[in-house]
Amino acid sequence: MERYERDGFTRVFTNDLYEVERQLQDYDEHLYVMWNPHTGEHLVVDGLVGLSVMKIPQRGFPALTTAVVDRIRRIHTANGFSATAHVEAAQDRLERENEKRVHEMAENFARDTLKSARQIAYYQ
């Protein structure tokens, strides 16, 4: 937590319009929100382990709203969310897509090569 304070974050702020910190603490008493007045960024921090869970703004979460609370509930490890499994599934999906592209390119190359070979063999 001292690390975040050195980076300019503080727990004292007045712009929690949607009472996100209260909603987070209703869900998990160790969660709280920090704010950086210089950059306007927010951090959702897990006080139990002393690590930030989410930084706002980010893609999909431009402001500190109740959508952040919903997302935290969905990705909380107590609900069975595994970041490792999520990343591995995404990597597997990307690998399958890349293999499919390589196969399609090889097939197109073979088709074009066959067409050229037939033209050379039969028209000369």
Side-chain angles (χ1 to χ4, degrees), residues 1 3-4 32 45-52:
M1 287 165 268
R3 178 179 141 224
Y4 303 123
Y32 60 90
V45 180
D46 185 345
L48 185 62
V49 292
L51 295 174
S52 66

Side-chain angles (χ1 to χ4, degrees), residues 42-113:
H42 292 87
L43 285 180
V44 176
V45 180
D46 185 345
L48 185 62
V49 292
L51 295 174
S52 66
V53 178
M54 183 180 239
K55 187 175 190 176
I56 295 115
Q58 63 171 285
R59 191 175 80 203
F61 301 96
L64 188 66
T65 63
T66 55
V68 171
V69 178
D70 295 337
R71 179 67 175 167
I72 293 293
R73 286 183 179 153
R74 195 164 20 133
I75 66 171
H76 198 259
T77 56
N79 297 330
F81 179 80
S82 171
T84 305
H86 188 73
V87 169
E88 287 174 356
Q91 287 176 340
D92 290 343
R93 197 169 41 251
L94 182 63
E95 192 173 310
R96 282 193 306 272
E97 289 174 7
N98 286 338
E99 287 176 5
K100 182 179 176 183
R101 267 192 229 125
V102 167
H103 180 71
E104 288 174 355
M105 288 172 51
E107 192 174 300
N108 289 337
F109 177 75
R111 193 176 304 119
D112 293 343
T113 303

Side-chain angles (χ1 to χ4, degrees), residues 111-123:
R111 193 176 304 119
D112 293 343
T113 303
L114 179 63
K115 187 188 304 182
S116 297
R118 283 184 178 160
Q119 286 178 349
I120 291 171
Y122 294 116
Y123 297 114

